[in-house]
Amino acid sequence: MSQYQDNSSTSDVSTSKSISKIILLDQEAQESPKSDGSFWETSEKNEKQSRINSIESNISSRYSLDSARSMPFWKLVFQWQVLSASITTLAMGMLVGSLENVLPIYAKDRFKISASKTGLLFVVNGGIAIALSTPTGWIVDRQIQKHGESMRAYIELAGLGLIGGAVVLLGFSTSFAMITGAEIWFAASLLMVNVPVMSSFGDFVNALGVNSMAQSYGLYNSFWSLSSTIAPPIATALYTQIGYRATVVGILTGLCVACAALILAHPLWQLLRSFNKRS
């Protein structure tokens, strides 16, 4: 992979260090009385140097991104880890957008549930996301630190399995209470996919040492927004043409299977390559 260096970063840091040292020395010279070369003078100089070193360290950390490699946006998008995470984000966003659009319509048509009552489904989703997002992130970080990056895929696959089960239950629900229970199951399982997928953008950029963090999260947001835009009209059309159960159990469960295949594709390809090299 090519390295793109920011040639101005080194001189910027050096200049900032020099300026900070000059300012601090001038300030100390104005505030401190003249010394006579005693022990107190040496102590004062050491303290002054310590403060200068602290400022320089802060400046170096602030400007460290300037010396990181940059990567063209198109090249970032076509990195496999970013591309697969983007497609998974699109699929999960379409899954959420479809259910949020179809479930209230189905509940009203089948169970004669009022709009105010179906609104509880959105409250359930939001409440679970608020309560469990941070604990889920903490668990994901701990597991990846302990077992390595491969654990991310296992967590995502487990989440997709649970989501698939929740979607099937939603498709075969015979009461609004069953729909509510399945929605709770779905919302909690969704975090097991969305949290590691979203964090993978930043973790991948950090691992490469490239200065593309904002672009990677912008890419995530773009794919999620795209799914939220196109999912409602598609889900409504499918609901009208093929019905609720075929839409939810057939199409939306198929999204989970497709995402699982996508997540498995890269490790299986690496395993096949290593096997071919050995043989």
Side-chain angles (χ1 to χ4, degrees), residues 70-74 76 201 211-220:
S70 59
M71 178 183 292
F73 181 70
W74 65 267
L76 175 68
F201 286 89
N211 186 9
S212 303
M213 183 70 71
Q215 292 183 60
S216 66
Y217 282 116
L219 188 64
Y220 168 85

Side-chain angles (χ1 to χ4, degrees), residues 7-267:
N7 295 327
S8 64
S9 59
T10 304
S11 60
D12 288 343
V13 173
S14 177
T15 302
S16 299
K17 288 182 177 181
S18 300
I19 293 174
S20 67
K21 184 179 293 188
I22 293 172
I23 292 175
L24 183 59
L25 288 173
D26 287 345
Q27 182 179 355
E28 292 293 332
Q30 293 175 5
E31 294 178 355
S32 303
K34 299 294 182 181
S35 56
D36 55 359
S38 64
F39 167 80
W40 301 109
E41 178 185 9
T42 303
S43 176
E44 184 180 357
K45 286 183 177 179
N46 290 338
E47 182 181 356
K48 187 185 301 182
Q49 187 61 45
S50 176
R51 293 173 62 185
I52 292 173
N53 291 340
S54 176
I55 291 177
E56 290 179 346
S57 176
N58 291 334
I59 291 175
S60 296
S61 63
R62 181 178 302 177
Y63 284 88
S64 60
L65 286 178
D66 291 339
S67 58
R69 293 178 292 143
S70 59
M71 178 183 292
F73 181 70
W74 65 267
K75 196 168 185 177
L76 175 68
V77 172
F78 286 102
Q79 297 295 315
W80 173 252
Q81 291 85 342
V82 175
L83 182 62
S84 61
S86 299
I87 296 174
T88 303
T89 299
L90 180 65
M92 291 298 99
M94 292 191 67
L95 183 61
V96 172
S98 298
L99 288 175
E100 287 182 348
N101 191 69
V102 167
L103 284 179
I105 299 175
Y106 176 71
K108 182 180 179 180
D109 293 345
R110 175 73 187 276
F111 308 116
K112 309 303 179 185
I113 301 298
S114 64
S116 60
K117 195 170 183 180
T118 57
L120 291 175
L121 297 175
F122 298 98
V123 175
V124 166
N125 277 337
I128 290 177
I130 292 171
L132 298 182
S133 289
T134 300
T136 302
W138 181 82
I139 293 172
V140 169
D141 283 341
R142 289 291 299 272
Q143 292 302 311
I144 292 176
Q145 290 173 3
K146 185 176 181 180
H147 301 286
E149 183 62 28
S150 60
M151 180 56 63
R152 188 189 305 275
Y154 294 133
I155 296 172
E156 292 169 358
L157 289 171
L160 285 169
L162 292 172
I163 288 173
V167 171
V168 170
L169 182 59
L170 283 169
F172 287 97
S173 294
T174 56
S175 67
F176 185 71
M178 286 185 65
I179 289 178
T180 304
E183 186 71 9
I184 294 173
W185 176 0
F186 171 79
S189 303
L190 184 66
L191 293 174
M192 293 180 61
V193 178
N194 277 357
V195 170
V197 166
M198 180 172 61
S199 65
S200 68
F201 286 89
D203 289 345
F204 176 70
V205 168
N206 280 337
L208 285 183
V210 296
N211 186 9
S212 303
M213 183 70 71
Q215 292 183 60
S216 66
Y217 282 116
L219 188 64
Y220 168 85
N221 192 60
S222 295
F223 274 92
W224 187 266
S225 300
L226 175 62
S227 65
S228 301
T229 302
I230 64 177
I234 293 175
T236 302
L238 290 172
Y239 178 83
T240 304
Q241 296 297 321
I242 64 177
Y244 171 77
R245 185 165 296 174
T247 300
V248 174
V249 178
I251 305 299
L252 298 186
T253 305
L255 281 177
C256 296
V257 175
C259 285
L262 181 67
I263 292 171
L264 284 171
H266 186 61

